[in-house]
């Protein structure tokens, strides 16, 4: 197994709302190895962004509660125990996150050049007077994301660029510093499919060239198929299935994964998919059993009352559904958590 770079153990995150606590992330386990590319897939609102914002510690901590026993380890260091200085270092030098909306990520009142120079200045790689060195690094980064005329781009404001260019600039900025982990939160959402495809290929190439790790967050299994080594399927705050990408497409086991796969459009026809009937349950009053029970074609009385464990349906293929209980519990890691 790869050496773990990020290791999320038993993480629970609750938002404080006026109706009570919303249990949005519910005891999840997930890891990414050094140089590994993983996908975190699930429909809108299932808690993917919350999980990753927790990793970056960018959620407003007055508005959340983190479950007891939750652990977030990055290179063995406990993210939840980091002070403000260590967190700043984590965000400036170790992990970067590309958000869904490049317009929200870029500051509209500064040029691209000013924003890139700021990133370089605080990265600790250059002397703060070495303007030429930083400019060259910024030009090189723009070049690596295949945008011509870097000097014009450096002098442009975000609104003077197209959506695809802005998203590439976000990727270029995240690559300015030698960070080990890149978290890409649906980087193609705001773009048309042709540009989306280019952005995904670009991300894969850059991550592979620099041997970085990647977490690709998306609601579409089709998007991650060509991009990642392993996939975690998330539903309503739970990881319901986790295995290698090829295995997931060959042998999807959880009824939710099967439903998600049926939603991937096929060029060979077959009409419009029926989708998955129903919607995600309330996080304020989540079901006490399986959170997918009201949408599941295999639901039994037990599913409504009892939470399924995580079972090892095949080698390195974990699934959280009573249908696979006879396959035995998932591997214990020695720290009491399953993987
Ligand atoms: N600050 C907040 N306060 C209360 N609830 C929140 C807050 N932020 C997010 N949520 C809720 O948490 C749930 C999960 O949201 P999250 O953004 O993590 O989902 P997601 O899987 O990333 O969705 P998408 O794919 O649409 O980005 C949603 O029901 C959302 O309404």
């Amino acid at each position: 197994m790869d050496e773990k770079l990020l290791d999320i153990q038993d993480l629970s995150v609750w938002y404080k709302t006026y109706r009570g606590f919303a249990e949005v992330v519910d005891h999840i386990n997930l890891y990414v190895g050094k140089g590994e590319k993983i996908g975190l897939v699930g429909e809108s609102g299932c808690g993917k962004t919350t999980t990753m914002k927790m990793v970056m510690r960018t959620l407003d901590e007055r508005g959340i509660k983190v479950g007891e026993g939750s652990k977030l380890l990055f290179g063995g260091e406990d993210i939840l125990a980091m002070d403000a200085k260590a967190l700043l270092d984590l965000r400036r030098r170790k992990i970067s996150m590309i958000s869904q909306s490049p317009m929200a990520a870029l500051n509209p009142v500064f040029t691209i050049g000013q924003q890139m120079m700021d990133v370089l200045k605080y990265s600790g790689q250059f002397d703060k007077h070495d303007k030429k060195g930083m400019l060259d690094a910024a030009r090189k980064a723009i070049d690596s994301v295949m945008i011509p005329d870097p000097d014009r781009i450096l002098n442009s404001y975000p609104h003077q660029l197209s959506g695809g260019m802005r998203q590439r600039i976000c990727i270029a900025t995240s690559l300015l510093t030698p960070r080990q982990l890149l978290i890409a939160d649906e980087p193609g959402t705001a773009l048309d499919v042709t540009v989306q495809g280019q952005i995904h290929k670009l991300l894969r190439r850059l991550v592979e060239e620099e041997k970085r790790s990647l977490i690709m967050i998306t609601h579409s299994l089709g998007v991650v198929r060509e991009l990642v080594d392993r996939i975690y399927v998330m539903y309503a705050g739970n990881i319901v299935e986790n295995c290698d990408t090829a295995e997931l497409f060959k042998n999807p086991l959880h009824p939710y994964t099967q439903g998600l796969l049926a939603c991937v459009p096929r060029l060979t026809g077959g009409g419009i998919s029926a989708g998955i009937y129903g919607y995600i349950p309330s996080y304020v009053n989540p079901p006490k059993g399986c959170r997918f029970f009201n949408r599941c074609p295999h639901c039994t009385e037990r599913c409504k009352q009892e939470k399924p464990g995580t079972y090892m349906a095949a080698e390195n293929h974990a699934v959280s559904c009573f249908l696979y209980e006879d396959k035995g519990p998932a591997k214990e890691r020695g720290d009491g958590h399953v993987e």
Side-chain angles (χ1 to χ4, degrees), residues 15-17 22 24-25 42-51 59 63 100 185-186 217-219 234 280 283:
Y15 284 113
K16 293 177 190 162
T17 73
V24 168
V25 176
E43 71 194 75
S44 183
C46 74
K48 307 178 296 290
T49 307
T50 302
T51 306
L59 290 171
Q100 293 179 7
D185 192 353
E186 313 232 20
I217 303 177
T218 174
H219 53 260
M234 191 167 188
I280 284 183
Y283 285 116

Side-chain angles (χ1 to χ4, degrees), residues 200-215:
H200 292 155
K201 279 200 192 113
L202 181 73
L203 254 179
R204 185 175 63 185
R205 179 174 64 76
L206 295 171
V207 165
E208 282 174 358
E209 268 173 19
E210 311 249 339
K211 297 196 172 45
R212 298 178 198 230
S213 306
L214 173 73
I215 301 180

Side-chain angles (χ1 to χ4, degrees), residues 5 7 18 28 41 62 67 73 114 129 137 155 204 212 222 227 238-240 261 289 305 312 319:
L5 180 63
D7 192 5
Y18 70 94
I28 69 163
V41 185
R62 292 163 302 180
L73 302 176
Q114 286 166 318
H129 302 295
N155 289 317
R204 185 175 63 185
R212 298 178 198 230
L227 204 67
N238 295 133
I239 300 288
V240 295
L261 269 175
Q305 305 300 333
M312 232 41 210
V319 57

